[in-house]
Amino acid sequence: MDPTVRAIAVAARGFMPPEEGDALYAAGRDAAAAVPGSPFLEVGSYCGRSSVWLGAAAREGGTVLFALDHHRGSEENQPGWEWHEPDLVDPAVGRIDTLPWFRRTLHEAGLEPHVVAVVGESPAVAAHWATPLALLFIDGGHGREPAHRDYDGWTPHVADGGLLCIHDVFPDPADGGRPPYEIYCRALESGRFREERAVGSLRVLRCR
Ligand code: SAH
Ligand code: MG
């Protein structure tokens, strides 16, 4: 990966640890070769940190990344919650707005031609989506309902041979919340996905 682009990812606001970002990049390169011509989709972009690793892989693999987020933050990003960053609140609206940060990050990385922002509610977009995905990355709302809705709405779109990546998978409840782990288990139990790689809390699963 271009070291300048990687440095921009590492410096960007957000939650993706660099070694997990590197694994995401490798998964993107793999997926673009395995399912040529099909795009990637990320659920949960926040300020664009993970989008840089995936966007770089999309560019190098000759495809695009759809980066989906309503940019209003998850439950855990709201005031009073653990992952709230007060300076992200748009004072005119009284709600978080990460879209300006996302755009800055992708602009700085030179990835705007390869990363398409999709601004909206994940289930609303999933309900109308029809394009098979080479790679799906789930890192949206981590509550039980949002995580399972993302699983239900998006995993049917992963192409055969493509990859499903899930973030914040913690087998030990002492390390973090359950829903990302639960959907990871559902993917394995479905028989449609098998695990290929685990780096930190990132899991990379192959479709069939
Ligand atoms: N991948 C990011 C972190 C994502 S944080 C990084 O590398 O830093 C989770 C994101 O999911 C938040 O930005 C939040 O706005 C988004 N999100 C949560 N629920 C959503 C929903 N129902 N639809 C769209 N986006 C959602
Ligand atoms: Mg995450």
Side-chain angles (χ1 to χ4, degrees):
M1 180 176 180
D2 179 321
T4 312
V5 173
R6 185 179 185 275
I8 290 164
V10 170
R13 292 181 78 141
F15 307 108
M16 182 55 56
E19 56 293 355
E20 296 171 43
D22 292 340
L24 213 44
Y25 171 81
R29 296 302 306 269
D30 177 325
V35 193
S38 291
F40 306 163
L41 186 134
E42 163 181 83
V43 184
S45 303
Y46 200 62
C47 298
R49 187 174 164 102
S50 51
S51 322
V52 173
W53 274 287
L54 281 176
R59 171 173 61 193
E60 283 148 47
T63 187
V64 297
L65 166 68
F66 291 96
L68 167 61
D69 201 306
H70 52 38
H71 288 283
R72 294 300 187 198
S74 302
E75 193 179 38
E76 53 273 19
N77 305 126
Q78 303 308 319
W81 288 71
E82 187 180 357
W83 302 104
H84 181 57
E85 302 188 276
D87 66 306
L88 293 177
V89 173
D90 173 357
V93 173
R95 301 274 318 269
I96 282 178
D97 184 1
T98 50
L99 184 55
W101 288 86
F102 171 88
R103 301 206 72 195
R104 257 177 250 171
T105 303
L106 273 300
H107 173 76
E108 203 192 346
L111 288 170
E112 285 182 313
H114 311 280
V115 180
V116 180
V118 180
V119 181
E121 278 287 343
S122 173
V125 181
H128 295 281
W129 192 267
T131 303
L133 300 171
L135 182 146
L136 169 65
F137 175 48
I138 300 184
D139 193 22
H142 288 4
R144 177 154 286 126
E145 205 203 312
H148 285 274
R149 266 190 329 203
D150 283 340
Y151 180 86
D152 292 332
W154 287 108
T155 57
H157 297 295
V158 180
D160 287 354
L163 295 175
L164 167 63
C165 304
I166 305 176
H167 199 227
D168 302 301
V169 171
F170 299 111
D172 182 347
D175 296 331
R178 306 310 285 153
Y181 175 70
E182 289 166 9
I183 65 169
Y184 156 78
C185 292
R186 281 182 69 189
L188 292 178
E189 283 157 16
S190 74
R192 236 188 116 217
F193 298 94
R194 59 189 155 75
E195 181 160 338
E196 286 217 336
R197 204 174 168 200
V199 179
S201 73
L202 181 74
R203 296 294 179 277
V204 180
L205 314 182
R206 177 85 56 185
C207 184
R208 279 193 247 271

